[in-house]
Amino acid sequence: MKLLRYGPVGHERPGLLDDQGRIRSLADHINDIDAAALSAENLAMLAALQVEQLPIVSGEQRIGPCVANSRKFICIGLNYSDHAAETGAVVPPEPIIFMKSPDAIVGPDDPVEIPRNSVKTDWEVELGVVIGKTAKYVTEEEALEYVAGYCVINDLSERAFQLEHQGQWCKGKSCDTFGPTGPWLVTRDEVPDPQNLSMWLEVDGHRYQNGSTQTMVYGVAYLIAYLSRFMSLHPGDIISTGTPPGVGMGQNPPVYLQAGQHIRLGIDGLGEQHQVTYAAD
C-alpha cells in the first residue's frame, strides 16, 4: 500500500494511492496515518479493504508528511562511503547518529525556507524508514519486522550552522522546513529489499545525486538493531538513513541553494518530491 496524508497544514486526512494514481479516502477507517494506524493489525485491516470501494478524493490536494506526530526524527551521517569521500571525511567505525527536530518535517512538495544568515543550505536525498512497532534490543535478523514502511526524505542541511559553529550537527539540520517527508508511506511488503533502491536529486533540472541504497555502509536492518541498543524506537519514529554522493558541499566549487530554486528528488517505487526555495523573512 501507498499511504498518504492530504489537505491543509495541520488538517491532513488519511488516504491511500490507488493503482491509477488517485487518492482514496481512509477517513472512515482510521483517524490519521500515525502511530496507532501503523500497528500490524491496522495495516492488515487497511490492506484487506476493497480499494475500488473507497471514496475518491477530488480536486487538487496538498500532500502532507506521510506520517503524523513522529516522536523522533533520527538521522545517520556519512552512511555512504562515496559521500564520505566527497566531503573529505572517513567512513565511521560505527553509525553517526544525530537528531533532527520533528518540527522540521513538512510535506514533500511544501516550500523550503532558506534560513536567515544562511550561506550554505544543502540538499540530501535519503531513504526514510518508519517504525511500526516498539523496538528495543532487537537483533539485526528480526529488525525489518519492526518497519511499517519506507519513504523519501530530503535531509536539508545548513552546512555553516552544522560544521562551522560550536556544538552538534542538529542546529544545521533542524531549521524549519528542513525535513520534507513523503509523498507516500510505502508499506514494507512492497519493498522486498530496501538495500536495492535507486535514488536521485536535481536542482533546477541539473542532476546532482544519482545513487543507490546498495552502497550504504550500514544497512537498514543493522541501523534499527544498532539504534535499539541505545533508545526505544516507537511507532511513527523516522530514521533517515544517509545520502549518496552529489551534495552541494561536495561539488568543485561547492554549490548551495538560493531562493527561487526548484528541487526535485525521488527513490524508485517510493515517489518524488518537488520543492521551491524561498528566503526567510
Side-chain angles (χ1 to χ4, degrees):
M1 292 180 293
K2 293 180 174 65
L3 303 175
L4 57 88
R5 302 172 65 246
Y6 64 93
V9 176
H11 299 279
E12 294 91 347
R13 297 177 67 79
L16 179 151
L17 195 75
D18 70 15
D19 291 340
Q20 286 74 48
R22 298 172 299 191
I23 299 174
R24 301 275 186 160
S25 174
L26 292 174
D28 290 338
H29 302 278
I30 54 175
N31 293 324
D32 207 342
I33 309 297
D34 56 10
L38 299 179
S39 70
E41 295 76 16
N42 275 328
L43 289 178
M45 177 271 292
L46 295 176
L49 295 174
Q50 297 296 314
V51 174
E52 64 275 8
Q53 295 180 8
L54 296 171
I56 294 174
V57 178
S58 61
E60 288 293 320
Q61 298 290 335
R62 169 189 172 267
I63 304 300
C66 60
V67 62
N69 305 318
S70 297
R71 293 171 57 171
K72 290 193 287 295
F73 194 167
I74 307 166
C75 298
I76 309 298
L78 302 175
N79 197 28
Y80 288 71
S81 56
D82 35 12
H83 169 57
E86 75 172 345
T87 62
V90 298
V91 174
E94 293 186 39
I96 292 176
I97 303 169
F98 61 93
M99 295 290 194
K100 200 175 183 85
S101 170
D103 290 339
I105 297 172
V106 293
D109 302 332
D110 288 345
V112 163
E113 181 181 87
I114 306 296
R116 287 186 186 180
N117 304 314
S118 169
V119 292
K120 296 182 179 180
T121 294
D122 205 346
W123 57 81
E124 295 186 9
V125 58
E126 304 202 1
L127 172 65
V129 179
V130 178
I131 298 298
K133 64 178 180 178
T134 300
K136 185 173 183 178
Y137 300 126
V138 303
T139 66
E140 186 173 353
E141 291 72 24
E142 65 183 342
L144 294 185
E145 298 173 13
Y146 291 81
V147 174
Y150 301 92
C151 63
V152 182
I153 290 175
N154 189 355
D155 175 22
L156 290 140
S157 314
E158 213 298 336
R159 302 299 188 187
F161 298 174
Q162 176 191 0
L163 301 171
E164 298 171 19
H165 294 244
Q166 296 297 313
Q168 299 179 340
W169 287 7
C170 61
K171 64 178 176 289
K173 295 282 191 171
S174 295
C175 303
D176 292 349
T177 76
F178 269 26
T181 301
W184 317 309
L185 174 62
V186 181
T187 50
R188 187 179 75 225
D189 58 294
E190 292 198 8
V191 186
D193 185 3
Q195 303 308 145
N196 189 26
L197 300 172
S198 297
M199 54 208 305
W200 52 270
L201 183 145
E202 299 174 353
V203 179
D204 291 339
H206 179 83
R207 181 70 58 96
Y208 283 98
Q209 291 190 274
N210 224 355
S212 170
T213 57
Q214 290 180 347
T215 63
M216 276 187 189
V217 178
Y218 302 105
V220 172
Y222 182 90
L223 291 172
I224 292 169
Y226 182 83
L227 290 167
S228 77
R229 300 180 204 169
F230 308 107
M231 66 189 84
S232 294
L233 304 174
H234 296 284
D237 286 351
I238 299 170
I239 305 169
S240 198
T241 57
T243 197
V247 300
M249 181 171 61
Q251 306 303 307
N252 187 18
V255 176
Y256 295 110
L257 292 166
Q258 308 294 324
Q261 293 190 290
H262 178 216
I263 311 167
R264 179 172 171 257
L265 60 148
I267 299 178
D268 283 357
L270 304 185
E272 294 187 10
Q273 299 185 356
H274 303 260
Q275 295 120 28
V276 174
T277 58
Y278 69 97
D281 293 336

